[in-house]
Amino acid sequence: MMCVPAILFFAVFAYLPMPGLYLAFVKYNYTDGIFKSAFVGWDNFRFLVMTGDLWRLTFNTISYNLAFILLGNCLQIFVAILLNELRKKWFKKVSQTIMFLPFFISIVIVGLIAYNILSYDYGLLNGILKSLGADPVKTYSNPHVWPFIIVITYLWQTTGYGSIVYFAAIMGLDSEVVEASEIDGANALQRIRYIVLPWLKPTFIILLLFSLGGVLRGNFGLIYNLVGANNTVLYPTTDIIETYVFRSMFNNFNFSMGSAVSLYQSVFGFIVVITANWLVKKASPDNSLF
Amino acid sequence: MQGEVVRKSIRSDGTSLFVRGFGYAFIGLFSLGCLIPFLLVLGTSFTKESEIVKHGFNLWPRIFSTFAYKIVFENPNLIIGSYVVTIGITVVGTLVGLFLVAMTGYALQRPDFEQRNKISFFIYFTTLFSGGLVPFYLLVKQYLGLGDNYLAVLLPGLMSPFLIIMMKSFTKSIPHAITESAKIDGAGDFTIFTRLILPMAAPALATIGLFIALGYWNEWYNAMLFLSADMKYRPLQLFLYGVVTSADFIKNSSASSNVPLRDVPLESMKMATAVVATGPVILFYPFIQRYFIQGITVGAVKG
């Protein structure tokens, strides 16, 4: 009985849209509605493949996510280990509080901060470059720098939050093991290499698995707020599945094309999760999700 | 935080000292990197517009000015309206969402609930496969008719599989014997939940509630999808998005505040709005951060 609200909730907001994926196979027409529009089969997909859009979107989305996941987790582990080495309590507390701060603010503010630093006319970066006598850079029209900016922003926002998970895991480490290693003369690096890192491995694998499931789900808010909605110059390196779907709906009113990309995303993402889980199950059965 | 893993090194060799020194330097610099952008926004919001045009954004205002804030508050109705909307959505959404998440999470771990695995999968599956944005948009806007309705912002954020799973593992630590003995005493499932489980799960509720509340406070996406521009009051983050991205928005607010357009401090006003929209969260943040860390820690230990 207690589950009824939840069942209803997910039925309406998650399951009810699923039949709507039929949109991907029609030429959507507002007056006819989803199920009466003309059926066109795989035409929408054929178009996506032929224009090269699908390949670019897949490549961008997956590359960003792999960078987020791998660099993100490595930096989080790195920060957590360093935090654990520090002795001054006040320093740890203050720095943790500050590093956690970016996680709390909305993505709109993050976009504004990026603008504050990168804007051609007023940005802090160009201010510094000018005072050094260098030429200002036109960040917002140079597609090559955006992968770096987007990844750095992501790391900026999530590292403090993520490192807490690893820090907590290190806390669970048996202090006797660590003390014994020190009596045996292990220095900090050896302790980290042979005790702390192996200890963090299961946490790392679980987090990795969880995030791999979303490898085809892009970070819409981040890219939309950093890059802006209509900066066509930057599409080659910043366009991801979500931004494409969004654009095909609200700029081009091509609902069917958006749905086709979504369906591709869901099916492909589903396969990725199942495969990843299967691989982990083979390697270490305890760590798989289901 | 909790007890340290290594309270005191037995001896401090060179490598360990180096690692520690590196740690202080790296963590210190990274913290600065997290803090400075906020100061940059704050500093810019207090800078005279002509200075920004001349010298660009700066950490420290060259010429101090509160003009941008004056304009933001000249006609405070817009921003106060946004505050009311955001606070309303956050309070209602958090209370209702928390209650529903807690109830579902509790029910799903009750060993005497036979359908629990099926329903768990029903919920978990939504993270694996979804209909995507287009059908979701059409559903909410056309079939549920929630366009330009705050419900469109409120409803989709109520529950998430992640939070339900979190609640499930939290309530697992409450012994099932308590439920059983209450049942023998004649209490119904719902009474057991509200009278016994909810008070015992207070720390979990605090953490999950914070997650939901933060989500609503920073909510911007659904608001952008479903609330049109001519709506009078938009949630704070969407209001801010409007100020940041469209000059029209600023023109409109300057028109209502009787400041000639050419005198509107465009850049510093963006930053001032950002400060006004973020301020309360940052002020509360040090007090509630503790609960977040507790929650994440418990989650991490359980794996």
Side-chain angles (χ1 to χ4, degrees):
Chain A
M1 268 306 285
M2 290 189 189
C3 290
V4 171
I7 295 175
L8 270 176
F9 175 83
F10 286 101
V12 171
F13 286 103
Y15 285 91
L16 219 51
M18 283 183 195
L21 280 170
Y22 176 71
L23 266 170
F25 301 101
V26 300
K27 190 168 170 35
Y28 181 70
N29 172 326
Y30 186 83
T31 45
D32 293 337
I34 300 179
F35 296 102
K36 284 184 186 139
S37 297
F39 184 78
V40 295
W42 295 95
D43 275 5
N44 292 324
F45 295 93
R46 209 167 289 144
F47 178 79
L48 283 169
V49 173
M50 266 163 25
T51 50
D53 285 350
L54 204 59
W55 163 242
R56 187 191 69 218
L57 296 175
T58 311
F59 179 81
N60 283 346
T61 310
I62 290 184
S63 324
Y64 276 122
N65 274 318
L66 285 182
F68 290 165
I69 294 168
L70 294 177
L71 293 177
N73 277 294
C74 288
L75 190 60
Q76 286 160 14
I77 292 175
F78 190 67
V79 168
I81 287 176
L82 286 182
L83 271 175
N84 185 49
E85 292 296 320
L86 303 184
R87 289 292 172 275
K88 294 216 163 33
K89 266 205 150 163
W90 69 266
F91 185 87
K92 273 202 226 187
K93 261 199 176 142
V94 171
S95 59
Q96 263 196 328
T97 304
I98 296 176
M99 286 190 293
F100 203 176
L101 188 61
F103 181 74
F104 259 78
I105 56 164
S106 86
I107 201 75
V108 181
I109 309 257
V110 175
L112 183 70
I113 289 175
Y115 169 78
N116 209 322
I117 297 173
L118 300 170
S119 146
Y120 178 74
D121 292 321
Y122 314 125
L124 185 71
L125 180 68
N126 279 342
I128 295 172
L129 284 179
K130 273 185 229 164
S131 66
L132 292 174
D135 289 331
V137 287
K138 280 187 184 165
T139 318
Y140 283 91
S141 55
N142 180 356
H144 303 296
V145 296
W146 281 94
F148 298 100
I149 298 171
I150 287 168
V151 170
I152 289 172
T153 312
Y154 175 85
L155 295 177
W156 177 80
Q157 211 188 3
T158 52
T159 298
Y161 169 79
S163 67
I164 290 173
V165 178
Y166 285 109
F167 190 66
I170 296 178
M171 288 296 166
L173 191 54
D174 190 350
S175 60
E176 278 177 26
V177 179
V178 180
E179 272 164 26
S181 78
E182 296 204 331
I183 293 172
D184 289 345
N187 64 30
L189 277 181
Q190 288 163 328
R191 183 157 38 83
I192 291 167
R193 167 74 186 78
Y194 294 107
I195 299 175
V196 181
L197 281 181
W199 171 258
L200 291 179
K201 208 175 115 189
T203 314
F204 176 69
I205 292 180
I206 287 182
L207 291 178
L208 198 68
L209 245 189
F210 263 113
S211 37
L212 268 183
V215 79
L216 243 74
R217 232 167 291 151
N219 197 329
F220 176 80
L222 180 66
I223 293 191
Y224 190 78
N225 277 290
L226 280 182
V227 175
N230 302 309
N231 195 338
T232 30
V233 187
L234 301 183
Y235 284 168
T237 59
T238 61
D239 204 13
I240 55 167
I241 292 180
E242 270 79 5
T243 49
Y244 184 90
V245 174
F246 186 84
R247 221 172 40 244
S248 60
M249 265 178 90
F250 294 105
N251 294 4
N252 311 330
F253 303 103
N254 195 335
F255 285 50
S256 293
M257 207 58 85
S259 279
V261 177
S262 284
L263 178 60
Y264 161 77
Q265 175 187 32
S266 270
V267 171
F268 194 27
F270 188 72
I271 296 171
V272 172
V273 184
I274 301 292
T275 319
N277 191 62
W278 179 75
L279 284 175
V280 172
K281 215 172 199 170
K282 281 206 127 176
S284 64
D286 298 337
N287 294 331
S288 69
L289 285 180
F290 46 84
Chain B
M1 294 295 305
Q2 286 92 7
E4 318 238 323
V5 173
V6 190
R7 279 172 307 279
K8 203 159 197 179
S9 314
I10 290 165
R11 63 202 168 84
S12 294
D13 54 291
T15 323
S16 303
L17 277 179
F18 173 77
V19 170
R20 205 174 302 164
F22 178 76
Y24 278 109
F26 186 87
I27 299 288
L29 283 176
F30 195 87
S31 304
L32 274 184
C34 287
L35 189 63
I36 284 176
F38 291 96
L39 300 178
L40 186 63
V41 171
L42 191 66
T44 316
S45 71
F46 281 113
T47 306
K48 207 174 164 211
E49 184 78 3
S50 61
E51 285 303 302
I52 295 178
V53 174
K54 228 184 285 170
H55 300 288
F57 297 130
N58 237 309
L59 261 187
W60 200 251
R62 281 164 200 263
I63 298 180
F64 187 84
S65 154
T66 52
F67 189 52
Y69 286 92
K70 229 187 203 154
I71 297 206
V72 171
F73 286 114
E74 185 95 355
N75 191 342
N77 284 346
L78 272 181
I79 198 145
I80 290 175
S82 288
Y83 254 105
V84 170
V85 168
T86 293
I87 291 172
I89 289 172
T90 306
V91 170
V92 176
T94 307
L95 290 178
V96 177
L98 189 57
F99 184 76
L100 295 178
V101 166
M103 195 160 74
T104 316
Y106 166 67
L108 286 181
Q109 57 81 39
R110 279 266 298 262
D112 54 345
F113 179 45
E114 277 153 31
Q115 306 297 318
R116 66 181 190 279
N117 285 331
K118 276 182 203 155
I119 297 175
S120 290
F121 183 76
F122 177 82
I123 292 171
Y124 180 69
F125 183 74
T126 59
T127 64
L128 297 178
F129 198 88
S130 81
L133 175 65
V134 184
F136 174 72
Y137 176 81
L138 290 177
L139 171 83
V140 175
K141 188 131 186 168
Q142 278 180 17
Y143 295 91
L144 300 179
L146 293 179
D148 278 353
N149 188 326
Y150 292 123
L151 279 179
V153 182
L154 189 70
L155 290 178
L158 281 179
M159 285 189 244
S160 81
F162 171 73
L163 293 178
I164 290 176
I165 290 171
M166 210 166 148
M167 189 67 204
K168 215 170 116 181
S169 60
F170 268 128
T171 44
K172 245 186 197 153
S173 58
I174 299 173
H176 184 55
I178 292 177
T179 303
E180 277 180 334
S181 64
K183 253 195 168 154
I184 294 170
D185 291 344
D189 282 334
F190 193 73
T191 321
I192 295 174
F193 170 68
T194 49
R195 291 281 185 77
L196 283 172
I197 304 297
L198 279 186
M200 287 172 82
L205 294 178
T207 313
I208 293 175
L210 278 175
F211 268 107
I212 303 179
L214 189 66
Y216 277 118
W217 187 272
N218 285 338
E219 173 25 69
W220 147 85
Y221 184 59
N222 286 319
M224 178 184 67
L225 288 180
F226 301 117
L227 306 182
S228 64
D230 53 319
M231 237 180 129
K232 202 162 180 204
Y233 300 127
R234 309 159 96 193
L236 264 186
Q237 306 302 332
L238 188 66
F239 175 75
L240 176 65
Y241 182 78
V243 172
V244 171
T245 52
S246 83
D248 290 349
F249 211 87
I250 297 183
K251 272 181 218 156
N252 289 339
S253 29
S254 80
S256 53
S257 61
N258 299 321
V259 177
L261 190 59
R262 65 189 154 80
D263 290 343
V264 172
L266 214 65
E267 297 298 332
S268 50
M269 219 182 118
K270 286 181 190 172
M271 306 300 160
T273 315
V275 173
V276 175
T278 318
V281 183
I282 304 241
L283 291 182
F284 275 126
Y285 158 72
F287 304 103
I288 54 179
Q289 179 214 19
R290 201 161 55 93
Y291 292 99
F292 260 105
I293 292 186
Q294 263 174 14
I296 301 166
T297 310
V298 175
V301 172
K302 291 211 167 128

